[in-house]
Amino acid sequence: MKSFGTSPADSLIEEHKAIRALTELLKLEQEHLISANVEGIAALTEEKAKAATQMAELANWRHNALAAAGFEPAEASMQAWLESSPQAQSAKKSWQELIELAQVANELNRVNGTLINKQMVRNQNVLNILQHGNVQDSNVYGPNGQTASKSVGRHFVAG
């Protein structure tokens, strides 16, 4: 990892680069999820892990710099440091932009998680049909008014 000075703001440029890279990967992942491109999703896994690791390392470095400056080593302390340090005034805008970029990445990640969960439900329904010949929890009512599973399997008559 790149060497920085002693200011908690020294890593912000690199953090911007890292969050932008992760955001682009999340957008690409979303495209692959929508088009059900499993190979494309798999190809992004390692890159996403590297980007997330880099972001964690940069945040850890910033936390250590905050601790060295007498602040709690946490995200919430960055704003307090910015307010208390006259030389940090120029970093306020950069910090705010980083927070906004992180919110975008967080929302992309949330949406991707939703898409993944929906695909998992679809896959489970297909497996249920293949394994049991019906859709579990289909809420189809039979002639007696009771919930019944809609059978889509083949029936054989022996005789």
Side-chain angles (χ1 to χ4, degrees):
M1 187 169 76
K2 184 178 176 179
S3 179
F4 301 106
T6 59
S7 169
D10 288 347
S11 66
L12 291 179
I13 291 171
E14 292 300 315
E15 287 186 80
H16 275 249
K17 289 178 187 176
I19 193 74
R20 282 188 179 102
L22 181 60
T23 300
E24 289 306 312
L25 290 170
L26 290 169
K27 287 177 183 177
L28 189 54
E29 178 184 56
Q30 192 171 94
E31 290 173 16
H32 291 316
L33 287 166
I34 290 168
S35 65
N37 180 353
V38 177
E39 292 82 16
I41 295 167
L44 294 175
T45 304
E46 188 175 335
E47 286 182 77
K48 277 180 34 188
K50 285 179 184 178
T53 298
Q54 182 183 18
M55 287 181 57
E57 289 172 354
L58 289 164
N60 187 51
W61 183 91
R62 183 173 24 81
H63 291 169
N64 289 337
L66 281 166
F71 291 85
E72 184 180 339
E75 297 300 315
S77 298
M78 187 66 177
Q79 190 62 40
W81 176 80
L82 288 167
E83 296 297 329
S84 72
S85 178
Q87 70 267 24
Q89 296 306 308
S90 62
K92 280 185 181 181
K93 182 179 178 188
S94 184
W95 175 248
Q96 187 57 43
E97 289 171 357
L98 184 62
I99 295 298
E100 291 167 5
L101 288 167
Q103 290 169 342
V104 168
N106 189 41
E107 179 62 12
L108 283 167
N109 192 53
R110 186 196 65 76
V111 169
N112 289 0
T114 300
L115 291 170
I116 290 167
N117 286 334
K118 285 183 178 186
Q119 187 61 44
M120 286 175 53
V121 168
R122 277 189 231 119
N123 290 347
Q124 188 59 54
N125 285 336
V126 169
L127 283 173
N128 287 340
I129 289 168
L130 293 172
Q131 291 175 339
H132 307 293
N134 63 34
V135 178
Q136 303 279 323
D137 301 322
S138 63
N139 294 329
V140 175
Y141 294 94
N144 64 359
Q146 299 297 316
T147 303
S149 294
K150 183 177 179 182
S151 180
V152 292
R154 294 184 183 157
H155 301 283
F156 295 99
V157 177

